[in-house]
């Protein structure tokens, strides 16, 4: 659980449980590293054969870690986990998943079937959980989540590009140092946040779209944090803008 806390951190708490739920679903993958031995500068594990330095895999999967204390775990069938950078962590669990974390303290979790989670940047974190979801986080402390801990989410895409910055109107509360966050849950939803401190959330239901382009701006489409609302679109274009097309649940 120590690694679980390190991977979620402040970013998980910011999202009112959405990110915490995704990380919680990866606890088993994190726990599996307890027998992987002491992490070192480089580790590799291919089809269950490993050098015991922080990487683990099962037959047909492989895991690679590059950098001090890098850790990678690929558990299941045809999974790939790659961690690049000091203290980076990548977990792929299930079947046909791909997780790559690149950057100091970066994290990536892909769990379920045919999910892809990619993080690029110091402290960047990407979660893809369910079926055929894609999460990409680019930038310092950027967060992208596609799918949720319920495990049935399908075909969602979340892309976050930016570094921390001021955000006066976030649904998570005003913050002078807010990470860039993109969250897409439900079925075939899309969330794209571009800009420092910006947020885009397409949550619940089917085919919701949230687009944020600008620093410190926010878009929210669908039902949040619970419920179901479909075919909603919200776009916040420009700095310090807010756009909502939603029903806010309890």
């Amino acid at each position: 659980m120590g690694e679980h806390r390190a991977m979620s951190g402040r970013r998980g708490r910011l999202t009112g449980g959405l990110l915490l739920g995704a990380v919680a679903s990866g606890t088993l993958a994190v726990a599996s590293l307890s027998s992987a031995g002491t992490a070192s500068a480089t580790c590799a594990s291919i089809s269950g054969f490993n050098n015991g330095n922080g990487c683990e895999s099962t037959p047909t999967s492989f895991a690679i870690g590059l950098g001090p204390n890098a850790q990678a775990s690929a558990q299941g069938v045809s999974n790939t986990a790659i961690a690049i950078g000091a203290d980076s962590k990548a977990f792929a669990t299930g079947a046909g998943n791909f997780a790559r974390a690149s950057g100091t303290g970066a994290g990536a979790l892909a769990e379920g079937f045919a999910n892809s989670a990619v993080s690029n940047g110091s402290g960047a974190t990407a979660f893809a959980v369910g079926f055929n979801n894609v999460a990409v986080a680019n930038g310092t402390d950027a967060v992208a989540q596609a799918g949720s801990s319920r495990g049935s989410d399908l075909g969602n895409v979340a892309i976050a590009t930016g570094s921390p910055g001021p955000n006066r109107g976030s649904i998570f509360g005003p913050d002078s140092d807010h990470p860039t966050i993109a969250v897409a849950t439900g079925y075939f939803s899309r969330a794209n946040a571009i800009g420092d401190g910006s947020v885009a959330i397409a949550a619940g239901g089917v085919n919701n779209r949230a687009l944020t382009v600008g620093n410190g701006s926010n878009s929210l489409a669908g039902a949040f944090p619970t419920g179901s609302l479909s075919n909603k679109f919200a776009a916040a274009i420009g700095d310090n803008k807010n756009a909502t097309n939603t029903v806010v649940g309890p």
Side-chain angles (χ1 to χ4, degrees), residues 131-134 146-147 150 152-158 183-191 202-210 229-232:
F131 298 87
N132 199 33
N133 299 291
V134 176
R150 62 190 170 194
S152 61
D153 296 57
L154 169 66
N156 301 290
V157 176
V183 178
T185 66
Y187 304 92
F188 307 108
S189 292
R190 303 287 186 270
V206 181
N207 194 41
N208 292 307
R209 300 286 190 270
L229 198 63
S230 299
N231 300 312
K232 300 300 180 182

Side-chain angles (χ1 to χ4, degrees), residues 48-69:
F49 297 94
N50 61 76
N51 63 1
N53 291 330
C55 292
E56 278 193 345
S57 69
T58 53
T60 72
S61 297
F62 74 90
I64 297 174
L66 301 173
N69 298 313

